[in-house]
C-alpha cells in the first residue's frame, strides 16, 4: 500500500511531509516524492529507492513552502522507477497529485485523455487522475477533483494541490484509507495515523465517496453530490508503535485482519461484467500457449508452496491439465521434463526467494514459459516472468505469511477460471457460480475472524502440547500443511501437516491422550472420510480440534473443540479454513511468549540458498 502525507499551515511543509513519510516506511515502498507550492509555483522532487535518497536530494535543494503533498509508492501498475513515482502532475505541471489505490478503468481513461491531447509521463494508473482534474479544472479545484474521481472506478485516496488555488489541499477517498489530523490553523493528511501523531491526536477519518477542502482557515467536507458532511473528531490514544500496527499487538495480527481487504484487492478489476469470466491482463502469455499446454509445474517455497499445492487441486478439478508441484529447492536440481507444452508457475510473496528465482531461470533456459503469482511489484521474479498475476495484498511485514497466502489462493482460483475458460473446459454457468462465491468471500472472511476469542480460549488448553498433527484431505490437505507451518514458525511447537488418509500408514502410532490433532472437516466430498479419520485419531485418545461448517452437529461428538466457519464451495474452503489456523498459531505463540513478528532463525524473504 502506498503512503500519503499532506500539510497546510504555517510550518515548513517539507519537514512535516518528510517526517510523516518516514513514519510510514513500515508499510513498505519502492519510491518516494514530494510536491510543494514554493513561491507560487509547484515544485516536485521524486525518485525511486529509499526515502533517505529523497531526503538527501531535498537537503541539497530544499523546497520552501507551507503547503504540500508527499508519497511513498508501493508499485502496482508500472515499474518502481522515478517517472512512475508520485507526485504526478497534469500537462501544465500546475496541478500535482498523490494517490493510494487502484484505478480499474485507467486504460480506457488514458486512451480518451490521449485523444484529447493529454501527454503522459508515466505508466501508472494514478497519473490519469491528474489529467482528469486538469480536464475538468475551471477555477474550483474541489469541483474538478469531484468530477475526476466520479469518472474513476476502483479504489483511491488522493491529495491534490494547484498553483491556482495556492492556499488549499483537496483530498478524496474511496476504499483506501485517509485520515485528517486537526491542528490550530493547520491540517495534516495521511494514509495512516503514525504520520501525524507527532503533531496532533485529533483526527477524522474520511469516509468513502467523500471529498474535502483544507485551508489554514478551516476544513469543509462533502459527499460527491456536494452535500456538506459533518464529522466528529476522534482522539487517538495510541503510542506511535501501536499506531504503526493499526492498534494491533503485532503486524501479523494486523495482517490477519487485513485479509478481507487484501482479498478484495486480488479480485479488483479482474472479474468480467456479469461474473462471466476473468481478465488477468497476462498479455505476454498467449491464449494459444494456455490452450496448447499439457502440463504445469507449480514451484515455490514454504507457505507459497502450499498455496501452489492448493492450485494443483483447483486446476486438476476444473481442467484436464496435469499439474505437478515441487519445492523450488528440489525442482531446481532435478532434471524435470519441461517439454514444449509445459508451463512453469512460481508463487512468491517477495518475488526474491533464491530457490524460486533459480527455478524460474532454469525453466526459461529450457525454453519453458513462466507465469508467476507475485505480491511485490517490480521484484526480480516479477520482472523476469513471462506473465504475472499480482496479488496486491500490500506489504506483508510479519515474517509468517498470512494475507499473502489467502491472496495467492485467490489468484490461483482466478488463474484456474482463466485456464478453464480458454481451454473450453469450464461451463459458463460453473464459472459464474465460482466467481459469485469468490466475491462473497471477503465478507465471509470478516465473519470467520470473529472466532478469535474462541480460538484464544482453545489455545490456552493446548499451548503446552509437545507436538501436533494437522489433518486435511483434498483441497484442504495443503491447508493442513500451511496450518502446521504457521504453528511451527511462530510458536516453535512441533507440528506436522498430513493427508488424513495417510495416518493409518504409520503416523497414527504417535497419537496418545496428550497428542493434539487439528482436523479440517468442513462440508464437501471428503467430509465423510474426514469424519472417519477423526474417529481413528479420537479412538486412540488424540485431543481433537476440528474446523467445521456452521451448523454441523456431528463434530461435537468426536472433537473436544470445534471452530465453526461459514460454508463455501469446497474448492474455496481453504481460504476460509486457514483463518482459524492462523489465529490458533498466533495465540499459542503469544502464550508461549514468542516474538511473533520476528520468529527466531527466520527471515521474511530467503534470498540465499
Ligand atoms: C511463510 O510464513 C514463511 N515466511 C516462508 O515459508 C515463506 O512462505 C517462503 O520463504 C516463501 O517466501 P516467498 O513467498 O516470498 O517466496
Amino acid at each position: 500500500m502506498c503512503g500519503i502525507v499532506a500539510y497546510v499551515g504555517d510550518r515548513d511543509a517539507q519537514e512535516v511531509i518528510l517526517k510523516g513519510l518516514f513514519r510510514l516506511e513500515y508499510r513498505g515502498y519502492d519510491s518516494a516524492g514530494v510536491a510543494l507550492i514554493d513561491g507560487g509555483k509547484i515544485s516536485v522532487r521524486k525518485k525511486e529507492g529509499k526515502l533517505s535518497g529523497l531526503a538527501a536530494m531535498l537537503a541539497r535543494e530544499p523546497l520552501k513552502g507551507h503547503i504540500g503533498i508527499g508519497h511513498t509508492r508501493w508499485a502496482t501498475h508500472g515499474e518502481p522507477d522515478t517517472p512512475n513515482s508520485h507526485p504526478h502532475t497534469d500537462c501544465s505541471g500546475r496541478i500535482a497529485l498523490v494517490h493510494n489505490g487502484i484505478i480499474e478503468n485507467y486504460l480506457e481513461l488514458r486512451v480518451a485523455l490521449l485523444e484529447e491531447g493529454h501527454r503522459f509521463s508515466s505508466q501508472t494508473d494514478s497519473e490519469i487522475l491528474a489529467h482528469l482534474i486538469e480536464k475538468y479544472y475551471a477555477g474550483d479545484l474541489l469541483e474538478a477533483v469531484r468530477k475526476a474521481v466520479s469518472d474513476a472506478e476502483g479504489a483511491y485516496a488522493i491529495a491534490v494541490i494547484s498553483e491556482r488555488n495556492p492556499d488549499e489541499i483537496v483530498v478524496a477517498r474511496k476504499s483506501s484509507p485517509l485520515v485528517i489530523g486537526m491542528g490550530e490553523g493547520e491540517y495534516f493528511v495521511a494514509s495512516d495515523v503514525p504520520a501525524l501523531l507527532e503533531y496532533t491526536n485529533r483526527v477524522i477519518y474520511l469516509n468513502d465517496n467523500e471529498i474535502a477542502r483544507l485551508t489554514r482557515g478551516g476544513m469543509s467536507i462533502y459527499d460527491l453530490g456536494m452535500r456538506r458532511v459533518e464529522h466528529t473528531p476522534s482522539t487517538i490514544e495510541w503510542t506511535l508503535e501501536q499506531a504503526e500496527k493499526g492498534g494491533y499487538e503485532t503486524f501479523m495480527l494486523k495482517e490477519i485482519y487485513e485479509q478481507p481487504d487484501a482479498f478484495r484487492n486480488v479480485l479488483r478489476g479482474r472479474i468480467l461484467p456479469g461474473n462471466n469470466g476473468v481478465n488477468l491482463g497476462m498479455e505476454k502469455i498467449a491464449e494459444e500457449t494456455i490452450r496448447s499446454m499439457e502440463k504445469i509445474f507449480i514451484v515455490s517455497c514454504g507457505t507459497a508452496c502450499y498455496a501452489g499445492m492448493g492450485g494443483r487441486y483447483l486446476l486438476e478439478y476444473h481442467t484436464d491439465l496435469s499439474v505437478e508441484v515441487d519445492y523450488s529447492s528440489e525442482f531446481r536440481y532435478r532434471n524435470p521434463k519441461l517439454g514444449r507444452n509445459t508451463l512453469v508457475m512460481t508463487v512468491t510473496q517477495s518475488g526474491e526467494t533464491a530457490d524460486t528465482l533459480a527455478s524460474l531461470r532454469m525453466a526459461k533456459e529450457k525454453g519453458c514459459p513462466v507465469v508467476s503469482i507475485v505480491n511485490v511489484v517490480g521484484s526480480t521474479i516479477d520482472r523476469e516472468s513471462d506473465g504475472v498475476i499480482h496479488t496486491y495484498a500490500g506489504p506483508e511485514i510479519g515474517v509468517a505469511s498470512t494475507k499473502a497466502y489467502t491472496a495467492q489462493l485467490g489468484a490461483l482460483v482466478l488463474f484456474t477460471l482463466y485456464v478453464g475458460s480458454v481451454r473450453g473446459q469450464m461451463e459458463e454457468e460453473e464459472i459464474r457460480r465460482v466467481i459469485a462465491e469468490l466475491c462473497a468471500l471477503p465478507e465471509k472472511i470478516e465473519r470467520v475472524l470473529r472466532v478469535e476469542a474462541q480460538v484464544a480460549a482453545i489455545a490456552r488448553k493446548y499451548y503446552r502440547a509437545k507436538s501436533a498433527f494437522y489433518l486435511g484431505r483434498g483441497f484442504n490437505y495443503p491447508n493442513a500443511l500451511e496450518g502446521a507451518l504457521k504453528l511451527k514458525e511462530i510458536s516453535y511447537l512441533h507440528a506436522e501437516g498430513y493427508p488424513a488418509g495417510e495416518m493409518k500408514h504409520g503416523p497414527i502410532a504417535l497419537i496418545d491422550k496428550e497428542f493434539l490433532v487439528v482436523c479440517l472437516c468442513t462440508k464437501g466430498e471428503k467430509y465423510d472420510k474426514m469424519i472417519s479419520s477423526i474417529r481413528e485419531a479420537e479412538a486412540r485418545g488424540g485431543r481433537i480440534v476440528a474446523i467445521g461448517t456452521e451448523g454441523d452437529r456431528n463434530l461435537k461428538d468426536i472433537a473436544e473443540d470445534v471452530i465453526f466457519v461459514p460454508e463455501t464451495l469446497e474448492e474455496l474452503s481453504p481460504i476460509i479454513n486457514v483463518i482459524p489456523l492462523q489465529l490458533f498459531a498466533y495465540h499459542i505463540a503469544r502464550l508461549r511468549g514468542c516474538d511473533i513478528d520476528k520468529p527466531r532463525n527466520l527471515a521474511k524473504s530467503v534470498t540465499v540458498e
Side-chain angles (χ1 to χ4, degrees):
M1 292 161 287
C2 305
I4 286 175
V5 179
Y7 175 74
V8 58
D10 293 328
R11 300 174 196 256
D12 175 339
Q14 175 181 299
E15 180 189 345
V16 171
I17 292 168
L18 257 186
K19 285 173 82 171
L21 293 177
F22 274 108
R23 293 284 186 219
L24 297 182
E25 269 205 304
Y26 70 90
R27 296 160 65 96
Y29 66 98
D30 43 56
S31 60
V34 299
L36 267 66
I37 296 179
D38 177 350
K41 294 286 181 200
I42 281 192
S43 296
V44 178
R45 297 279 189 283
K46 62 184 187 177
K47 73 189 301 301
E48 65 186 275
K50 287 301 176 198
L51 260 177
S52 51
L54 175 68
M57 180 197 280
L58 290 167
R60 288 193 302 276
E61 309 165 58
L63 297 177
K64 300 279 180 243
H66 304 290
I67 178 170
I69 57 179
H71 190 266
T72 49
R73 181 174 181 244
W74 168 266
T76 56
H77 295 69
E79 292 297 311
D81 56 23
T82 300
N84 286 334
S85 55
H86 301 212
H88 290 293
T89 63
D90 68 326
C91 301
S92 70
R94 303 181 70 186
I95 295 170
L97 155 138
V98 290
H99 167 238
N100 179 21
I102 295 175
I103 305 301
E104 296 170 16
N105 59 337
Y106 83 100
L107 285 174
E108 63 190 80
L109 291 172
R110 183 186 177 101
V111 168
L113 288 163
L114 283 167
E115 285 168 0
E116 292 167 17
H118 289 266
R119 297 175 311 285
F120 290 85
S121 54
S122 81
Q123 297 304 314
T124 65
D125 56 330
S126 307
E127 188 186 353
I128 301 299
L129 294 170
H131 293 280
L132 279 175
I133 295 166
E134 175 187 18
K135 169 182 175 174
Y136 290 121
Y137 185 81
D140 182 332
L141 184 60
L142 186 138
E143 178 61 9
V145 173
R146 186 185 71 82
K147 289 178 176 175
V149 298
S150 301
D151 283 358
E153 293 166 14
Y156 59 80
I158 59 174
V160 188
I161 54 177
S162 159
E163 281 178 11
R164 286 161 292 192
N165 309 79
D167 301 317
E168 66 185 64
I169 299 173
V170 173
V171 297
R173 71 146 286 178
K174 180 183 170 192
S175 302
S176 280
L178 203 63
V179 59
I180 298 173
M182 305 163 73
E184 294 304 318
E186 59 183 359
Y187 287 92
F188 308 82
V189 179
S191 305
D192 203 352
V193 163
L196 47 77
L197 260 189
E198 179 176 341
Y199 305 101
T200 178
N201 64 359
R202 289 182 66 239
V203 301
I204 64 118
Y205 293 89
L206 219 50
N207 293 323
D208 279 357
N209 300 315
E210 288 182 351
I211 187 168
R213 173 186 285 121
L214 309 174
T215 69
R216 287 176 186 76
M219 166 174 66
S220 47
I221 304 175
Y222 307 88
D223 65 19
L224 292 184
M226 286 310 285
R227 288 174 289 274
R228 280 298 294 258
V229 174
E230 294 304 325
H231 278 262
T232 305
S234 46
T235 303
I236 301 289
E237 305 295 353
W238 289 336
T239 64
L240 188 58
E241 194 202 358
Q242 285 170 326
E244 286 181 347
K245 293 164 187 162
Y248 291 99
E249 269 184 340
T250 62
F251 282 111
M252 181 180 175
L253 192 60
K254 178 184 176 197
E255 287 151 10
I256 287 173
Y257 276 84
E258 283 178 340
Q259 288 181 107
D261 283 343
F263 203 81
R264 289 185 182 98
N265 283 342
V266 75
L267 303 182
R268 197 185 300 281
R270 291 169 163 163
I271 306 292
L272 297 180
N275 292 349
N276 284 315
V278 298
N279 171 16
L280 296 180
M282 288 198 301
E283 299 81 15
K284 288 187 276 180
I285 293 284
E287 284 196 1
E288 188 39 45
T289 303
I290 300 295
R291 263 190 284 275
S292 61
M293 69 184 170
E294 292 159 5
K295 179 163 188 174
I296 296 184
F297 280 92
I298 303 180
V299 179
S300 34
C301 299
T303 288
C305 193
Y306 303 145
M309 289 174 74
R312 173 181 62 189
Y313 282 89
L314 284 161
L315 283 161
E316 290 188 340
Y317 183 74
H318 283 299
T319 77
D320 64 352
L321 274 172
S322 165
V323 184
E324 184 174 332
V325 179
D326 204 349
Y327 293 106
S328 304
S329 54
E330 290 299 313
F331 180 81
R332 66 180 291 192
Y333 295 114
R334 292 169 47 189
N335 181 22
K337 304 301 173 281
L338 300 182
R340 217 163 29 82
N341 293 332
T342 307
L343 178 77
V344 167
M345 169 177 272
T346 74
V347 182
T348 173
Q349 189 285 127
S350 64
E352 302 298 346
T353 300
D355 286 320
T356 305
L357 177 57
S359 299
L360 174 151
R361 288 173 173 165
M362 178 182 85
K364 296 192 73 172
E365 280 160 18
K366 292 174 177 272
C368 187
V370 177
V371 170
S372 293
I373 292 178
V374 188
N375 194 40
V376 179
V377 175
S379 58
T380 307
I381 289 174
D382 180 0
R383 284 180 282 111
E384 296 193 13
S385 298
D386 298 304
V388 178
I389 304 171
H390 292 121
T391 44
Y392 299 132
E396 191 173 64
I397 313 294
V399 165
S401 190
T402 50
K403 63 177 182 175
Y405 175 70
T406 45
Q408 286 160 358
L409 289 174
L412 284 158
V413 176
L414 292 173
F415 181 70
T416 300
L417 294 169
Y418 173 67
V419 170
S421 168
V422 167
R423 294 170 66 90
Q425 290 163 352
M426 283 187 77
E427 298 297 327
E428 285 184 6
E429 191 281 328
E430 175 70 357
I431 289 174
R432 281 195 294 274
R433 187 172 75 93
V434 174
I435 289 177
E437 183 58 22
L438 205 51
C439 295
L441 286 187
E443 188 275 330
K444 290 186 177 181
I445 296 171
E446 280 164 353
R447 268 174 51 201
V448 76
L449 284 165
R450 294 175 202 151
V451 304
E452 182 181 2
Q454 180 199 3
V455 171
I458 295 170
R460 277 193 286 278
K461 294 171 63 175
Y462 299 106
Y463 77 99
R464 294 194 181 90
K466 295 287 175 290
S467 189
F469 272 138
Y470 280 68
L471 304 181
R473 282 179 179 262
F475 294 103
N476 277 287
Y477 160 48
N479 224 22
L481 298 176
E482 168 57 11
L485 176 61
K486 285 284 106 28
L487 189 66
K488 279 182 275 199
E489 66 176 332
I490 64 172
S491 77
Y492 318 142
L493 194 161
H494 176 256
E496 207 171 342
Y498 235 88
E502 269 298 292
M503 290 305 295
K504 49 187 165 306
H505 300 283
I508 201 164
L510 284 175
I511 295 181
D512 60 21
K513 63 182 181 353
E514 287 310 308
F515 208 98
L516 169 60
V517 186
V518 179
C519 301
L520 294 167
C521 191
T522 45
K523 286 290 171 64
E525 292 168 21
K526 313 293 182 307
Y527 176 77
D528 292 338
K529 294 198 179 307
M530 263 316 289
I531 291 286
S532 306
S533 300
I534 295 173
R535 288 190 189 286
E536 286 167 14
E538 192 251 350
R540 285 147 184 88
R543 302 189 65 187
I544 311 295
V545 174
I547 310 296
T549 303
E550 286 167 349
D552 181 347
R553 301 186 184 290
N554 301 328
L555 290 171
K556 283 198 178 292
D557 300 335
I558 54 174
E560 186 171 336
D561 294 281
V562 184
I563 300 164
F564 289 111
V565 299
E567 183 159 8
T568 184
L569 296 176
E570 185 173 14
E571 70 250 49
L572 305 184
S573 64
I575 297 161
I576 296 292
N577 295 351
V578 75
I579 308 291
L581 303 186
Q582 294 168 345
L583 292 168
F584 187 61
Y586 180 85
H587 281 284
I588 285 195
R590 190 171 177 278
L591 289 163
R592 291 165 69 99
C594 299
D595 180 346
I596 290 170
D597 279 338
K598 300 186 183 68
R600 68 187 182 197
N601 312 333
L602 295 182
K604 182 59 187 169
S605 176
V606 183
T607 56
V608 294
E609 271 201 66

